[in-house]
Amino acid sequence: MSLTTVLSRRLRCRNSFGSDFSRSFTTASPRCAGHNRWSQIKHHKAKNDKAKSKERQIIGKEISTATQMWGPDTKFNPRLTLALSNAKRAGIPNAVIEAAIARGQGISITGETLESVTIEAMLPNSVAAVIECQTDQKARLLQDVRHLIKDVGGTVTPTTYLFQKKGRVLFEKKDGLNPDDYLDQAIEAGATDITTDDEGRLLVFTEPNETKSVGESLAKSSGLAIHELEIIWDPNQDTLVEVKDEEHVKDLEDILSAIREEAGVRDIYLNATSSFS
């Protein structure tokens, strides 16, 4: 069996809903111009709030990842410097930035050790979710997130059996990169799969407990720099759920936006696809 066959599987990207939708309800007649205008303002504000929430989570994760990999000192961590610059340009509050740096060191902003928490849930329309969190107040976070899930019509129930836990290492972009050129190095480093992402960057999968060692080993042998290193929940392809109705997509986006607002939530993984994404 050739090396290409051994590692022929290709990335089935984690599904996300790229477009923000927000619902606006109004019973005003056309002549109530003031009321209609207020409804439009609320509609746009809700949409902007969801977009900002998603942006805060993405940038916060970049800061935490950079801190975790190369430390909190920007003098020796250019990746953190870049992430902080992006955060300031996006108007991310200092409290959010400080919390993200602390989280990258495994502590809260008050210095308490953070504990990893995994919450499993079935959301409306049979969409399975795995929610990864870090917190120094486990009981409170569990209570708040579980209450939120039930409030939106979901159920807290085991769902990780619908996913595979994997290590994921993404390298910085290199023009003309061909993943097949790195098969030998990937196998030698201990990778389980190799491909490229939508931007042509080398993407490697590993066993969860070998993520860092495989990434560093391959970076050394290939000369590529690590862009991102994380452990993910990859949905099983035979149990993916397609969300076809636009209204259901809107509802799901609202739910995800609300969950992201909970302090301590780091990542949300779904087994859903959508034609509206």
Side-chain angles (χ1 to χ4, degrees):
M1 183 180 294
S2 68
L3 294 180
T4 303
T5 303
V6 173
L7 294 176
S8 63
R9 290 172 299 138
R10 285 297 179 259
L11 170 64
R12 297 176 175 90
C13 291
R14 205 166 62 217
N15 298 285
S16 63
F17 295 85
S19 300
D20 282 331
F21 298 93
S22 58
R23 190 189 301 179
S24 177
F25 295 96
T26 177
T27 57
S29 63
R31 63 188 178 188
C32 298
H35 184 81
N36 283 340
R37 182 173 180 274
W38 175 238
S39 297
Q40 292 173 3
I41 291 173
K42 289 193 295 181
H43 172 87
H44 290 300
K45 184 179 186 302
K47 186 174 182 178
N48 290 336
D49 287 347
K50 284 194 296 182
K52 289 179 180 179
S53 174
K54 200 169 188 177
E55 183 179 40
R56 281 200 302 270
Q57 187 184 47
I58 292 172
I59 294 179
K61 183 178 177 181
E62 290 178 353
I63 293 172
S64 295
T65 299
T67 303
Q68 182 181 17
M69 292 178 63
W70 296 290
D73 192 339
T74 54
K75 293 180 181 179
F76 307 102
N77 191 343
R79 181 63 52 74
L80 178 58
T81 300
L82 177 61
L84 293 176
S85 177
N86 292 337
K88 292 179 180 178
R89 186 162 50 248
I92 306 298
N94 287 333
V96 175
I97 295 174
E98 292 171 2
I101 293 175
R103 189 162 56 245
Q105 300 174 80
I107 58 176
S108 70
I109 199 168
T110 60
E112 298 293 327
T113 300
L114 294 177
E115 182 177 359
S116 296
V117 180
T118 301
I119 300 174
E120 305 169 60
M122 191 65 70
L123 302 179
N125 302 303
S126 300
V127 174
V130 178
I131 305 166
E132 289 286 13
C133 313
Q134 278 188 318
T135 181
D136 59 347
Q137 298 182 24
K138 180 178 178 180
R140 179 175 178 179
L141 179 128
L142 285 171
Q143 177 181 335
D144 291 347
V145 175
R146 286 172 176 171
H147 176 76
L148 174 60
I149 291 169
K150 292 178 181 178
D151 192 50
V152 298
T155 305
V156 178
T157 186
T159 55
T160 52
Y161 68 93
L162 299 171
F163 298 77
Q164 288 185 5
K165 196 173 187 179
K166 300 178 180 180
R168 177 180 180 273
V169 185
L170 180 64
F171 292 86
E172 291 186 353
K173 188 172 183 178
K174 179 181 178 181
D175 292 337
L177 183 145
N178 184 343
D180 290 342
D181 294 338
Y182 298 90
L183 283 174
D184 290 340
Q185 293 103 313
I187 292 175
E188 185 67 26
T192 60
D193 197 6
I194 181 172
T195 184
T196 55
D197 72 350
D198 292 339
E199 297 183 26
R201 296 175 295 187
L202 188 68
L203 182 59
V204 171
F205 292 95
T206 76
E207 293 298 330
N209 61 346
E210 298 177 356
T211 307
K212 186 174 182 179
S213 61
V214 170
E216 292 177 345
S217 177
L218 185 53
K220 184 177 180 180
S221 63
S222 68
L224 298 174
I226 297 174
H227 176 75
E228 188 176 73
L229 184 151
E230 62 180 342
I231 296 174
I232 67 168
W233 289 96
D234 194 28
N236 299 330
Q237 295 301 301
D238 58 349
T239 59
L240 285 174
V241 175
E242 184 177 4
V243 183
K244 298 180 180 180
D245 186 86
E246 184 175 355
E247 192 66 24
H248 292 165
V249 174
K250 294 178 183 179
D251 291 342
L252 190 55
E253 275 291 347
D254 288 340
I255 293 170
L256 296 179
S257 180
I259 294 175
R260 291 189 193 103
E261 286 297 318
E262 291 290 335
V265 171
R266 288 209 60 181
D267 289 293
I268 307 171
Y269 302 94
L270 305 177
N271 72 334
T273 61
S274 170
S275 58
F276 297 99
S277 59

